[in-house]
Amino acid sequence: CFCKLKGQIDDCSCSVDTVDHFNNAKVFPRLISLLEKDYFRFYKVNLKKECPFWADDSRCSMRTCHVKTCHEDDIPLGLKGHDLHDENMAVKYLKASPDSDDENECIEDDLDPELGFLNTTISDLAYKGFELWQAYDDSQENFCTLPDEDGDAQYVDLSLNPERYTGYKGSSAHRIWRSIYMENCFRPKESYSDYIRSSMLNDLCLEKRVFYRVISGLHTSINIHLCSNYLFSAKNLLSRDSDFENWGHNLEEFKRRFNPEYTDKEGPQWLKNLYFLYLLELRAVAKAAPFLTKAKYYTGNDEEDGETEVAIKDLLSIVRSFPDHFDESSMFSGGQQALKLKEEFRQHFKNITRIMDCVGCEKCKLWGKLQVQGLGTALKILFSGKFDRATHTEPSYVNRSFQLERSEIVALFNALGRLSTSIHEIEVFRQMMR
Ligand code: FAD
């Protein structure tokens, strides 16, 4: 039975059983409770960007595709750029200043206002210059376009917009998948159906196989979520009325997609690609662990932020204890040719991030963008070279040259959370089949 998926995961040194056990018992429960924290729940995204490749399809108007964005008041203050520690200090200072003591007066006297202004301007400029250079330097290493921080970007509370069945299908969805596989996946064959046949994969070099596997793994994960959170009610999806909705696991839909009798024997291979992608992202998190341990998970709520830091440390120690991590060192090793291939790899991946703006269903676009950004962050950690020293826990490791934006960290953990949930859901389907 295809649901007793077993054996080695291609291009990795561990088995499906090992991953199932490690994920379901250890990673999944911790990751799910971590992702409920405010720091990870709120994600800023621009869902209004124009599709750069073709005239937009008609937008999906079904209520299942709708994304509920945050009201300004819902967003934690710390995420809106308020540093509550600084503000508290400022309030304290202001309160203290009316009866200012000698020490404060002395500091005032020592300051030449003009020189002080000049000094701060010069250091501000130097800092800005450094930041610009740093941003340029980082963008050269990125696998994604930069996070959406522009005018149309809005915060979304992910817990209020779960990834699940939306009804998005047909030519629009197929066009997205086809253009991802055909135009951006190193296309070894002329036709789509030829391309997705696993037997063809052996003709590809390791790096190109990896590229295909991660995309196929992502596709598998998205489709598992729609099967395990399926809408059974027969109500009209165009209506805003969501009463009496009936959501649950749809075993028949799962079988239709992954049972070899339906899918020309590719289904089990697609499931294995999900495990492959999971191992790749798990390795990225393990590799960046020294950075992630020291990062600040600041939302302005001290109690919750403290809990988030403890939960992160706990999860990272579990992730690092995994014995059979994906080995990225065998990729892109071999002079000029390898560098060229790496650049191609990056360009193809960046293209996929742009294709996400063409997805016709808002909810699918939200989760597609988030997961692609998470995957891009994982690729940056694995292949930019900037995180290579992360395996040694030296304090100097956490310096400005290893920067991850908050949105990258949020996307990385949420993307891993989606894969971890999919692997957990496969176990649920296995039990339903039994
Ligand atoms: P599709 O999944 O559209 O696949 C097209 C073809 O690709 C298949 O016929 C098969 O030959 C091949 N294929 C299928 N799976 C794989 C794989 N894992 N690896 C390689 N090849 C494969 N729908 C929702 O209900 N909820 C969502 O949140 C959602 N998010 C989406 C996000 C994105 C970015 C996209 C592009 C689509 C999303 N969809 C979502 C739509 C969903 O993925 C399917 O496209 C839709 O359900 C139609 O399915 P299908 O059976 O026609 O085959």
Side-chain angles (χ1 to χ4, degrees):
C1 162
F2 79 104
C3 247
K4 289 186 190 140
L5 183 66
K6 283 208 180 304
Q8 289 295 114
I9 298 161
D10 309 273
D11 292 316
C12 288
S13 60
C14 74
S15 71
V16 169
D17 278 350
T18 316
V19 177
D20 275 338
H21 179 71
F22 183 73
N23 178 65
N24 297 344
K26 296 184 173 179
V27 176
F28 174 73
R30 287 177 172 84
L31 197 45
I32 293 310
S33 70
L34 177 74
L35 295 176
E36 284 164 6
K37 301 282 181 216
D38 281 358
Y39 185 88
F40 291 100
R41 259 191 320 133
F42 292 95
Y43 180 61
K44 199 169 185 186
V45 63
N46 182 354
L47 297 172
K48 297 195 176 108
K49 265 193 180 162
E50 288 230 336
C51 165
F53 299 109
W54 53 77
D56 268 357
D57 290 314
S58 56
R59 296 258 162 243
C60 165
S61 48
M62 291 182 288
R63 69 166 186 276
T64 42
C65 289
H66 176 69
V67 170
K68 185 178 184 304
T69 52
C70 288
H71 188 270
E72 186 66 17
D73 299 341
D74 303 334
I75 307 164
L77 283 177
L79 300 185
K80 289 193 275 190
H82 294 248
D83 188 332
L84 298 182
H85 296 131
D86 281 359
E87 281 174 18
N88 287 342
M89 291 294 283
V91 170
K92 269 189 210 150
Y93 183 75
L94 280 177
K95 278 188 183 152
S97 52
D99 38 17
S100 56
D101 53 18
D102 294 347
E103 216 178 304
N104 278 344
E105 277 167 16
C106 175
I107 295 171
E108 292 266 301
D109 285 347
D110 280 353
L111 275 179
D112 177 331
E114 275 184 29
L115 264 184
F117 173 75
L118 203 63
N119 280 344
T120 37
T121 313
I122 290 172
S123 63
D124 270 6
L125 279 177
Y127 187 71
K128 287 237 162 58
F130 177 74
E131 273 198 327
L132 279 177
W133 169 80
Q134 181 81 39
Y136 172 77
D137 188 46
D138 281 354
S139 71
Q140 299 307 298
E141 304 298 344
N142 280 350
F143 283 78
C144 288
T145 48
L146 281 175
D148 297 319
E149 292 288 349
D150 51 33
D152 277 334
Q154 279 182 296
Y155 271 104
V156 172
D157 179 345
L158 296 170
S159 68
L160 300 180
N161 296 281
E163 185 185 23
R164 59 189 183 182
Y165 178 83
T166 61
Y168 180 54
K169 53 177 84 152
S171 58
S172 173
H174 286 171
R175 175 149 67 164
I176 304 283
W177 288 125
R178 183 178 291 111
S179 62
I180 289 177
Y181 287 116
M182 286 288 282
E183 288 157 36
N184 295 290
C185 244
F186 297 104
R187 195 163 66 135
K189 294 286 163 206
E190 283 311 304
S191 86
Y192 182 44
S193 53
D194 266 358
Y195 182 69
I196 56 174
R197 244 172 267 285
S198 313
S199 53
M200 302 290 173
L201 281 180
N202 297 329
D203 300 340
L204 296 175
C205 67
L206 172 68
E207 290 80 358
K208 293 183 180 179
R209 260 197 331 264
V210 166
F211 197 98
Y212 167 78
R213 286 218 157 99
V214 297
I215 300 301
S216 166
L218 175 66
H219 191 168
T220 303
S221 182
I222 288 173
N223 286 355
I224 289 179
H225 285 292
L226 76 88
C227 298
S228 58
N229 264 306
Y230 195 86
L231 179 57
F232 287 99
S233 83
K235 272 208 162 193
N236 178 3
L237 290 182
L238 290 172
S239 134
R240 290 265 152 199
D241 179 6
S242 58
D243 291 351
F244 311 113
E245 278 182 0
N246 180 14
W247 296 87
H249 289 83
N250 188 335
L251 182 59
E252 284 313 306
E253 184 67 24
F254 183 77
K255 284 197 213 167
R256 182 184 78 75
R257 288 175 187 271
F258 300 107
N259 189 329
E261 282 166 26
Y262 294 80
T263 54
D264 203 11
K265 302 207 184 338
E266 294 299 309
Q269 189 54 49
W270 296 341
L271 291 174
K272 277 196 175 179
N273 292 339
L274 162 71
Y275 284 76
F276 177 84
L277 174 58
Y278 174 80
L279 287 176
L280 183 138
E281 292 194 4
L282 200 69
R283 164 70 188 137
V285 170
K287 188 171 183 175
F291 170 87
L292 294 167
T293 311
K294 297 204 168 99
K296 289 275 160 267
Y297 298 90
Y298 182 71
T299 63
N301 175 342
D302 285 346
E303 195 181 335
E304 164 134 347
D305 293 350
E307 286 170 9
T308 307
E309 279 170 27
V310 171
I312 277 277
K313 284 188 185 130
D314 178 36
L315 176 70
L316 290 176
S317 74
I318 293 289
V319 167
R320 292 177 94 181
S321 72
F322 186 65
D324 285 322
H325 273 301
F326 172 76
D327 177 13
E328 75 280 10
S329 63
S330 49
M331 286 177 66
F332 306 115
S333 53
Q336 281 304 313
Q337 199 57 28
L339 279 180
K340 197 169 153 251
L341 187 58
K342 191 162 154 182
E343 188 46 36
E344 253 184 275
F345 197 97
R346 194 179 13 245
Q347 289 312 328
H348 282 221
F349 195 78
K350 274 193 172 172
N351 247 357
I352 292 176
T353 67
R354 291 187 197 108
I355 290 180
M356 287 300 120
D357 288 318
C358 305
V359 173
C361 151
E362 252 197 358
K363 177 84 75 66
C364 309
K365 187 191 286 193
L366 164 68
W367 285 99
K369 284 182 96 140
L370 178 80
Q371 292 179 82
V372 167
Q373 194 190 349
L375 174 54
T377 307
L379 296 175
K380 172 174 160 178
I381 293 168
L382 293 178
F383 301 119
S384 70
K386 290 197 168 186
F387 290 79
D388 286 356
R389 282 195 299 144
T391 38
H392 316 289
T393 344
E394 38 192 301
S396 62
Y397 167 67
V398 183
N399 62 32
R400 286 192 57 80
S401 58
F402 308 106
Q403 260 203 342
L404 288 180
E405 308 254 341
R406 174 181 171 272
S407 72
E408 290 178 300
I409 297 178
V410 171
L412 177 68
F413 280 95
N414 271 290
L416 184 63
R418 294 287 75 210
L419 303 176
S420 171
T421 308
S422 289
I423 289 177
H424 183 262
E425 290 300 338
I426 290 178
E427 184 54 37
V428 176
F429 282 118
R430 277 190 191 116
Q431 286 176 14
M432 288 173 79
M433 293 198 68
R434 273 181 219 135

